Amino acid sequence: MTTKVSVEDLLRSPALQLELLAGEAGLGRSVSWAHVSELDDPTPWLLGAEVIMTTGIAIPRSAARQRAYLRRLDDAGVSALALSAQLHVPPLHEAFFQAAEERGMPILQVPLAVPFIAIAQEVAAAVQEDARQRLGAQLQVFGALRWLAAEDLDTVTLFKRLERLSGYEVYLCTPQGRPLLPGVPVPDLAVLPSEPDAPPTIPGGFVLPVPAPGGPAGYLVAFERQGARPAGLAVAQHIATVAALQVAMARHERETLRRQGAETLSELLQDVLDPAAARRRLVRMGLPADADMVLLVIRNVPDDAIHRALDDQPHLMLRRGDDRYVLGPSALGAAVAALPGVAAGMSRPFPPGESMQVPQREAVWAASTAGESGRALIHYGDDTTGRWLPDNPWVLTALVEHVLGKVLAYDSAHGSQLLTSVRAWMERDRRTEDAAAALHVHPNTLAYRLRRFAELTGRDLSSTAAFAEVWLALRAGRQLGLID
């Protein structure tokens, strides 16, 4: 049990001659220290469970300000307010005493003959044994870094040991209230500070930032355990430092895995790994070797947003230009589709270790379709036209060259937009005015481009057969990445 002195113990001490003016309900409050303060607001410098002693200079004169003064002290965890008799205490209003009764905040009067130092000495003597216990706990908790090196403790075991030695229940979370370290519970978000420089003391414990480069990685909340001997702020701060070290180690490990994953995905996309080696590499990266996977191409979303969305699911990610390629189970699709502003394409499922040339074309084509349609995620095969195209890239390339080769060459040489114009016209079901508006040109200009396209390709777009052939060639070019 703790050896802290209570307010009632001080009140009963014959040597102190204290008188209770109000707040009898709070006599059971424990006292960790007695401190003199003549500040209007001493709370930023308090840890909680103090007796604040004042000659009265700090006490406001109006009823409203007296109530506010008492509330500030009580909210900061002050155990009692001790006022020196016959010095500078202004007239105390009934509202002041009423607030003390409502909150159970003891108001004590100190006789002029009793110096404040006598109260401080009484408290210090009472908590001496508790101080020795705190020092022992601090020395053991400060050995946490040695445990990490010598015993290779996992996160859960480490923090359970810190809880047992410190006398606190420990909680950790990110600034947004998400889990900070695996296995360590998240606190009630209501206790988190609203300002970065808020005092660390909260009722029943402390809330401290977990330091990291660029700002706090999160917060540590430590609540006193029932029947335990809490070791104080210094120990809670050291636990926050241990948490910061664990976060840094986890981030380094995560970045290493991400880099290795990107290298592996790059090799898979280039087909430089044989199937058996590819499967072994995927298993080492945390992906299952016996379940089909998909390839996603993600656009319009930054890396950190993708990492947050997919952090709890196994995956590999590689950045290529403005595109992010992600390999993993098909369940990734739901998380990707929920990303704000995303345009993403997903390949058909395929076995691990299989060549990714076809899935790569499928995912790129689907992502382009998603960008044009305004949909968040397109699965390859959602567009019925694509089903009629073969998977063989040589056949697709031949189709594009045969039907669109002259137009591609003409646009490249003259900086014209014949192909773009024809595609816009086809995608709008041959509505010339709608397509012209989308292209920001006059309908006559679009009509000229359609005629010029027909001359170069030898295909009259009023013919159903010619229209179908051009449309399939356009889709093939998109699938190969030859056409934007």
Side-chain angles (χ1 to χ4, degrees):
M1 292 180 60
T2 182
T3 58
K4 284 181 181 177
V5 65
S6 69
V7 177
E8 186 172 14
D9 293 332
L10 297 178
L11 186 64
R12 289 180 176 179
S13 171
L16 301 182
Q17 305 174 49
L18 302 177
E19 179 185 352
L20 179 67
L21 301 182
E24 183 178 5
L27 290 179
R29 294 184 177 191
S30 62
V31 178
S32 64
W33 199 246
H35 185 70
V36 179
S37 175
E38 304 297 351
L39 297 175
D40 178 62
D41 183 12
T43 57
W45 294 272
L46 302 179
L47 298 179
E50 296 94 349
V51 170
I52 293 298
M53 302 178 289
T54 177
T55 62
I57 297 174
I59 306 296
R61 292 192 170 274
S62 72
R65 292 184 63 197
Q66 285 182 2
R67 285 177 65 94
Y69 172 77
L70 185 138
R71 287 171 176 168
R72 279 197 300 274
L73 296 181
D74 189 48
D75 288 343
V78 169
S79 297
L81 177 64
L83 309 175
S84 179
Q86 304 172 22
L87 285 179
H88 306 292
V89 178
L92 298 174
H93 296 272
E94 182 60 31
F96 176 79
F97 293 113
Q98 183 179 355
E101 294 293 344
E102 290 172 355
R103 287 180 168 248
M105 173 74 160
I107 307 298
L108 307 176
Q109 183 170 269
V110 185
L112 189 60
V114 177
F116 284 163
I117 189 64
I119 300 174
Q121 289 175 339
E122 186 83 8
V123 173
V127 301
Q128 186 175 12
E129 182 181 343
D130 188 60
R132 286 196 296 268
Q133 181 272 331
R134 286 188 180 207
L135 178 60
Q138 288 176 11
L139 293 175
Q140 293 186 68
V141 170
F142 288 169
L145 299 182
R146 179 173 53 80
W147 307 337
L148 282 173
E151 303 180 43
D152 194 25
L153 299 180
D154 62 78
T155 300
V156 174
T157 304
L158 172 65
F159 279 87
K160 287 296 182 186
R161 186 180 294 186
L162 290 172
E163 284 186 325
R164 186 172 65 252
L165 291 172
S166 68
Y168 294 101
E169 293 178 355
V170 173
Y171 301 84
L172 289 169
C173 69
T174 66
Q176 296 75 32
R178 299 172 62 187
L180 183 62
L181 289 174
V184 182
V186 172
D188 183 347
L189 301 187
V191 305
L192 297 184
S194 56
E195 299 178 357
D197 56 351
T201 305
I202 58 174
F206 305 102
V207 56
L208 298 163
V210 177
Y219 292 96
L220 176 139
V221 177
F223 284 119
E224 297 180 4
R225 288 207 326 270
Q226 184 98 18
R229 291 181 174 181
L233 177 60
V235 163
Q237 289 173 327
H238 189 72
I239 295 174
T241 302
V242 173
L245 179 61
Q246 289 290 94
V247 169
M249 292 168 60
R251 285 181 173 176
H252 176 73
E253 182 180 355
R254 186 164 57 245
E255 288 304 319
T256 299
L257 289 175
R258 286 174 179 171
R259 185 171 60 253
Q260 293 174 350
E263 293 170 355
T264 295
L265 183 52
S266 177
E267 292 181 80
L268 290 170
L269 292 173
Q270 297 175 64
D271 270 345
V272 297
L273 295 177
D274 63 80
R279 283 191 290 270
R280 288 195 299 270
R281 189 84 67 85
L282 291 172
V283 169
R284 285 202 302 271
M285 296 288 105
L287 290 165
D290 55 354
D292 283 352
M293 296 183 298
V294 295
L295 181 68
L296 294 108
V297 171
I298 303 173
R299 295 173 178 168
N300 305 334
V301 180
D303 292 358
D304 56 349
I306 298 174
H307 286 314
R308 285 196 300 271
L310 306 181
D311 198 38
D312 58 347
Q313 302 184 60
H315 67 280
L316 309 183
M317 190 173 96
L318 172 67
R319 181 171 182 170
R320 280 186 169 180
D322 294 331
D323 291 345
R324 277 75 173 174
Y325 287 71
V326 174
L327 176 68
S330 59
L332 295 176
V336 170
L339 290 168
V342 70
M346 180 189 290
S347 73
R348 292 174 296 180
F350 59 93
E354 187 176 278
S355 170
M356 294 180 61
Q357 292 301 307
V358 172
Q360 184 175 176
R361 290 196 302 274
E362 293 177 351
V364 169
W365 175 87
S368 298
T369 304
E372 292 176 354
S373 65
R375 293 171 59 182
L377 177 66
I378 294 287
H379 297 75
Y380 182 82
D382 287 352
D383 177 66
T384 54
T385 304
R387 299 177 184 176
W388 297 101
L389 295 173
D391 291 333
N392 190 317
W394 307 110
V395 175
L396 294 176
T397 301
L399 172 62
V400 174
E401 178 61 30
H402 176 66
V403 178
L404 305 175
K406 292 183 179 180
V407 176
L408 287 168
Y410 184 88
D411 279 346
S412 177
H414 296 83
S416 55
Q417 298 184 10
L418 297 184
L419 196 61
T420 300
S421 301
V422 168
R423 192 183 75 188
W425 178 72
M426 286 183 161
E427 288 175 345
R428 286 160 181 78
D429 298 325
R430 290 173 278 189
R431 294 191 297 270
T432 302
E433 290 188 359
D434 289 351
L439 294 166
H440 305 290
V441 300
H442 193 276
N444 291 342
T445 301
L446 176 58
Y448 166 76
R449 292 177 181 178
L450 296 176
R451 289 195 300 273
R452 186 67 179 131
F453 178 91
E455 292 170 2
L456 289 171
T457 60
R459 287 166 175 80
D460 181 0
L461 294 178
S462 64
S463 161
T464 301
F467 185 96
E469 187 179 22
V470 170
W471 180 250
L472 287 173
L474 283 169
R475 307 309 279 184
R478 294 280 311 286
Q479 187 165 320
L480 291 170
L482 300 176
I483 300 173
D484 294 333

